[in-house]
Amino acid sequence: MDFSLYVVINPSVFRIEGSLLFDTEKITEVIRAGATAIQLREDSYIETSEFSKIARAVHEVTKRHNIPLVIHDRVDIAVSSGAEGVELGKGCLDYNTVRRIMGDEKFVGVAITTQRQAELASRANASYVVIGPIYKTLPGEFHSHSVHPLGTAGVREILNYCSTFEKKVPYLVSGGITVDNVQRVVFQSRAKSKSVDGIVLHYLVTESHEKMIDDIVEIRNLMKARPRFLPGKRSPDSIETAPAFKLKTLKPSEGTIHFSVRELLPMVPSIITKVVEQEPIFGCLVSNVSKDLVERMSTAIGSVPHFSRDFQEMKFPSGSLVPRSCLIQMDSITPAARDTYVAGLQAYNLKGLPVIFEPAGATGADFRRSEAAESLMASGYVTLIKGNYTEILHLAGLGEEERSMEKIKDTKDKNFKLEMGQKCRKLALREKCVVLATGPVYVLSDGERTAAIENGSLFLAKAGAQALGSILAACMAVEVEDPFLASLSGLLLFTITSDQATGNGVTRGPGTFLGSFIDEVWKTSQMSSDKSQGGEWATRALCQQIENC
């Protein structure tokens, strides 16, 4: 049975307004929207005899669509209705008793919150296990409010522990899951050797039926879009053919995902050549201050920014020439601006396209901006997080004493590189993305590979730094298989050409540097396609892989 989208419903959902009658045909709409399994919860306002009638009627519908019906806690209702299973919560009958009553052919699921409970469920041969709550429960959900949310990290720890069990069963995640965070749940809960097998979505009585149906449809679409974000070589049609939550079977056996930093360096000029030849369009949500610089830098490299500050427009522009990546620079954090960021992130997630996020000002010193950045990241999947040392360390969840390492004067010291590499790697592993920390030494990591880049003009601290995101977005647009390679290519073009601009004899200060810098980007980009010498500029890279971080 497929538990990938398991919808929990209260019987009161079926009550016809102003009547004591129930409309079970609503369950058909839930199934058609994408539900793969249904659970009925007991309603204290409904008598047992009435609940039993509803369960039997619902079961007739689920049988016609060949999906399982599970009853929560009430073994008597599960038996009388002929439901395919029962799910046990805290304070229920013990598992062995329920199994004897239900028989060997029925499902008996167990809800757990700890590793110990997961182990007991495995020993009892539970049919499936629900882990939760992952997030703070929503009004109308059924988790105990005394249970502290596990978060993606807590779920990942339990999945890691469960991966050692001999018996393999589906592991589902529940609690506070919505359209805004479902991709984060699926992608970031993945343990090293175990993935989430499904999500539990609570049909909320506080929402309209139409709203819940729309949410189920959108969640199913977001789940299907997930394969595009996995690293490594995949079939172009994997987004349509890969079964939801079977992604752990897709192994990155091809492509450049296992290449070391040293092996990637000769490939950098070819990525820049692709940008020049393909002239990719990228979505651009940046501040008005950065807009002019982004436009000038994009002209130099050959890409085309699609600027937008409108919520509806960021749903995804229509037409044949659509953006292939998106740059989100967190500027204003008004409710309208935050809605626009979320709309942009989710639109590009749905299309399976990369998103670069710059959490400007998201440090411990500004709670509102920090909360806005973390809220946005919880709304979808970010391919690359780019920030200065303080922003990256804060998003990694480090303490004030560790965050003070940004004050170290000698940033080119090997110990600094190692420590910063460890912090970036930690965040990259947690978010399953690429992380770039900017400063006197640039540190780049995707969790598997971590590099320190020491190129970069001192003038970048005064002028031009905001242009890096536009170059990264252009490279991401043409190299979707390996975001680390795309990021490395854009970063090296940016830093090496800034060095060239500083030493070309024209630059006298920040004012003359900016114009000279943009010219160098254009000249170097154009030369990259020349096989005889076009890639020579990349040999100036002061780039090393950070080992043992």
Side-chain angles (χ1 to χ4, degrees):
M1 291 293 184
D2 180 4
F3 283 93
S4 60
L5 184 47
Y6 185 24
V7 179
V8 177
I9 299 178
N10 186 306
S12 62
V13 167
F14 305 120
R15 190 183 292 277
I16 299 173
E17 190 173 352
S19 169
L20 296 177
L21 301 176
F22 291 84
D23 178 13
T24 54
E25 282 307 305
K26 282 187 177 180
I27 201 74
T28 301
E29 296 178 26
V30 172
I31 295 169
R32 287 173 177 168
T36 62
I38 301 292
Q39 181 192 122
L40 276 183
R41 286 264 181 168
E42 182 178 16
D43 190 324
S44 58
Y45 297 101
I46 298 178
E47 297 291 337
T48 295
S49 60
E50 198 68 33
F51 187 19
S52 180
K53 290 178 184 178
I54 294 172
R56 286 197 297 271
V58 171
H59 192 224
E60 289 300 316
V61 178
T62 58
K63 280 197 299 185
R64 287 201 302 268
H65 292 85
N66 195 32
I67 71 168
L69 173 66
V70 176
I71 308 297
H72 186 265
D73 281 358
R74 295 292 300 271
V75 180
D76 56 334
I77 300 296
V79 172
S80 66
S81 66
E84 280 71 33
V86 65
E87 183 179 309
L88 305 181
K90 292 182 178 178
C92 305
L93 291 172
D94 70 274
Y95 181 91
N96 292 330
T97 300
V98 172
R99 174 54 74 191
R100 284 196 300 272
I101 297 171
M102 294 294 294
D104 293 335
E105 300 301 316
K106 301 289 186 176
F107 295 114
V108 179
V110 178
I112 63 99
T113 58
T114 67
Q115 293 181 7
R116 174 61 177 165
Q117 291 170 353
E119 183 176 359
L120 292 174
S122 177
R123 289 180 182 177
N125 293 317
S127 304
Y128 66 89
V129 174
V130 178
I131 305 171
I134 185 170
Y135 294 132
K136 183 179 179 181
T137 54
L138 302 169
E141 287 194 355
F142 304 97
H143 288 281
S144 169
H145 292 285
S146 63
V147 179
H148 191 274
L150 297 169
T152 54
V155 171
R156 198 161 55 241
E157 287 179 6
I158 292 176
L159 287 175
N160 257 330
Y161 186 71
C162 294
S163 67
T164 62
F165 298 161
E166 184 176 349
K167 182 175 175 58
K168 306 301 180 186
V169 300
Y171 286 88
L172 320 181
V173 179
S174 177
I177 298 175
T178 67
V179 168
D180 292 339
N181 60 29
V182 63
Q183 289 185 315
R184 187 178 179 92
V185 169
V186 176
F187 199 56
Q188 294 172 3
S189 296
R190 291 175 62 216
K192 188 173 182 180
S193 55
K194 176 65 184 157
S195 300
V196 171
D197 296 298
I199 64 162
V200 179
L201 180 67
H202 290 255
Y203 185 113
L204 305 175
V205 295
T206 54
E207 299 285 359
S208 69
H209 177 68
E210 292 73 19
K211 171 68 164 56
M212 289 307 304
I213 293 300
D214 288 344
D215 283 358
I216 294 170
V217 170
E218 189 165 358
I219 285 172
R220 171 55 70 189
N221 288 335
L222 289 167
M223 287 159 56
K224 288 181 179 179
R226 175 53 57 201
R228 286 286 190 90
F229 306 133
L230 292 176
K233 187 77 172 177
R234 293 168 303 283
S235 167
D237 61 355
S238 61
I239 188 170
E240 300 298 336
T241 60
F245 295 96
K246 299 298 183 183
L247 307 184
K248 52 184 176 291
T249 64
L250 299 176
K251 297 181 181 179
S253 57
E254 302 177 52
T256 59
I257 192 69
H258 297 303
F259 283 29
S260 67
V261 173
R262 183 183 296 274
E263 292 171 319
L264 290 177
L265 287 176
M267 305 177 192
V268 166
S270 67
I271 303 300
I272 306 305
T273 298
K274 285 183 182 180
V275 174
V276 174
E277 293 175 348
Q278 298 179 22
E279 299 182 344
I281 304 173
F282 65 93
C284 201
L285 278 165
V286 299
S287 66
N288 290 329
V289 175
S290 302
K291 187 174 179 179
D292 179 65
L293 181 57
V294 166
E295 197 160 25
R296 293 171 66 188
M297 189 59 75
S298 298
T299 300
I301 195 174
S303 59
V304 182
H306 174 83
F307 294 105
S308 177
R309 304 293 294 180
D310 179 76
F311 175 86
Q312 291 301 326
E313 190 177 356
M314 281 311 297
K315 283 290 186 180
F316 213 80
S318 60
S320 57
L321 298 176
V322 296
R324 294 160 57 184
S325 64
C326 182
L327 169 63
I328 299 177
Q329 182 188 84
M330 194 174 72
D331 177 26
S332 170
I333 55 171
T334 63
R338 293 174 66 164
D339 283 345
T340 302
Y341 301 147
V342 171
L345 175 61
Q346 294 180 348
Y348 283 80
N349 278 182
L350 192 57
K351 293 288 183 178
L353 298 173
V355 176
I356 297 93
F357 176 47
E358 298 184 7
T363 66
D366 191 333
F367 170 78
R368 291 179 65 247
R369 295 192 71 81
S370 298
E371 189 276 329
E374 290 165 2
S375 176
L376 176 62
M377 290 167 61
S379 299
Y381 174 68
V382 174
T383 316
L384 168 65
I385 302 173
K386 168 191 167 288
N388 61 33
Y389 296 156
T390 309
E391 292 160 354
I392 294 301
L393 291 169
H394 177 71
L395 290 178
L398 303 175
E400 290 292 338
E401 69 284 351
E402 291 182 273
R403 205 172 296 132
S404 66
M405 68 176 287
E406 68 155 337
K407 299 178 181 179
I408 298 175
K409 292 183 179 180
D410 187 8
T411 54
K412 297 195 177 185
D413 178 82
K414 65 178 183 179
N415 290 327
F416 174 85
K417 296 176 196 173
L418 178 62
E419 288 188 40
M420 198 66 212
Q422 290 171 339
K423 314 312 179 190
C424 289
R425 181 174 181 271
K426 175 183 177 180
L427 181 58
L429 287 172
R430 191 189 80 195
E431 300 296 325
K432 299 289 191 293
C433 70
V434 181
V435 172
L436 172 60
T438 62
V441 174
Y442 295 83
V443 179
L444 183 70
S445 179
D446 65 353
E448 296 294 330
R449 300 160 292 187
T450 305
I453 294 90
E454 297 185 32
N455 298 92
S457 170
L458 294 175
F459 286 123
L460 288 174
K462 302 293 184 181
Q466 297 93 335
L468 175 55
S470 60
I471 294 180
L472 294 171
C475 293
M476 285 279 188
V478 301
E479 175 50 54
V480 297
E481 294 296 341
D482 190 348
F484 183 88
L485 172 58
S487 304
L488 181 65
S489 301
L491 180 59
L492 288 179
L493 176 70
F494 179 80
T495 55
I496 291 173
T497 52
S498 73
D499 289 336
Q500 292 172 182
T502 303
N504 65 7
V506 176
T507 298
R508 294 289 183 269
T512 52
F513 165 75
L514 189 55
S516 183
F517 178 28
I518 293 172
D519 287 345
E520 288 291 340
V521 171
W522 177 82
K523 181 174 68 175
T524 303
S525 300
Q526 296 298 315
M527 288 175 58
S528 288
S529 58
D530 184 344
K531 294 183 179 180
S532 62
Q533 59 175 359
E536 185 272 335
W537 63 270
T539 62
R540 304 186 197 118
L542 302 176
C543 175
Q544 66 179 106
Q545 183 155 333
I546 303 176
E547 306 291 349
N548 303 319
C549 74

